Amino acid sequence: MNSKELSNGILRALGITVGVLIFLYFIYKIQSVIIYIAISAIISLTGRPIVQFLRRRLKFNNLVAVIITMVLLLGLIVGLVGLFIPLLVKQGQNLSLLNIENLQLNIENLYNQATSYFNVTDLRIEDTLEESGLFTALNFGLIPEFLNAIISGLGSFSIGLFSVLFISFFFLRDSKLFEHSLLTLVPDNKVKRVKSSMEKIKDLLSRYFVGLVFQITVLFIIYTIGLLIVGVQNAVVIAFLCALINLIPYLGPIIGACIMIILTMTSNLGTSFSDVILPETLYVLIVIAVGQLIDNFFSQPIIFSRSVKSHPLEIFLVIIIAGLLFGIVGMVVAIPAYTVIKVIMKEFLSDNKIVKGLTKNL
């Protein structure tokens, strides 16, 4: 290899490196747009069965079916926002978000009631906490800062919501829009396989996201009925919030349970710990247990077996690995991403023995 070839190779490598860096920087700068497209794709896949039902069963025009579907989805979003406003207002008052001293006193009061009821003062937990300075070390100022961040982010949320709805409308109206754009980059000899893969992916992911809606709905109904029986304030909103957080595999139920218990206990600040707070918390734990039993033995098996067609152990390993690599976001997107990869492998690597074993049910 002469010096000219060597210099050309170095320049080519530098050019490729610079190109990749520029592309990554570009992706970084438009990450919000990518997120909008991803959310719109999920919405369109979830609304796809509704559009198909309106077109095939009720013989609606495609545009009319899409408009009705978008109105239903928009109504759902507006309803959810309307549900959460009372929760934010009520819990904001209970937690004294605008008064840090009151918040600290309320939490210390709740702690004192709990230690007194369970008679654990002999363990000198209170003295230990005071000596450690835990309460003083806690930055309660983060709570109003978080509230202010939510309020300041409402403008960005409005822009994002409009963008997502706009993109979702066109994804629903022309289900082949993304497919046609992708096929322009695919070689002619691969077009048929790519088309087949994309149809299979859309079908599986559509069933998966509809299954998730079913899962949230079942948990929401169970939690709502249980919390209303117990007499928890803002039961409907708390139930929906905890059901929604359940979408995070494995960690979601734990986070949701903690939120439900905290909101229940803080809603009763100022009342008797033994007569009100403790019994209500125990009843809420029973509601959580019933909801999770039904979800684990009824809802989830239906979703995983009938939608993504993967073994529960297979799903568990994929979620754990994705969580270790990419955190909570990885756990949430693990199943859809794995489903897409399986479909692609089945279409293009069908002769491989390992691929055959993994995709035999697809």
Side-chain angles (χ1 to χ4, degrees), residues 79-142:
L80 294 179
V81 172
L83 277 175
F84 277 103
I85 288 177
L87 178 65
L88 290 174
V89 174
K90 182 64 179 179
Q91 295 303 323
Q93 294 172 352
N94 289 337
L95 293 175
S96 304
L97 292 178
L98 301 179
N99 191 326
I100 307 304
E101 293 181 358
N102 284 349
L103 171 61
Q104 186 170 346
L105 288 174
N106 285 336
I107 293 179
E108 289 180 357
N109 180 49
L110 183 62
Y111 161 76
N112 291 331
Q113 289 187 56
T115 54
S116 175
Y117 178 79
F118 290 108
N119 195 25
V120 293
T121 52
D122 293 339
L123 298 178
R124 304 186 65 80
I125 295 177
E126 186 174 357
D127 293 341
T128 303
L129 288 175
E130 289 180 357
E131 292 173 3
S132 66
L134 177 61
F135 286 123
T136 56
L138 289 175
N139 186 6
F140 293 100
L142 289 176

Side-chain angles (χ1 to χ4, degrees), residues 10-11 21 23 48 53 61 115 119 147-148 176 214 244 252-253 256 267-268 289 316 348 357:
I10 294 174
L11 289 174
L21 290 176
F23 176 74
R48 186 168 173 247
F53 173 80
N61 177 273
T115 54
N119 195 25
L147 183 63
N148 292 332
K176 304 289 184 180
F214 171 75
L244 189 63
S267 296
N268 293 311
F316 174 79
F348 292 93

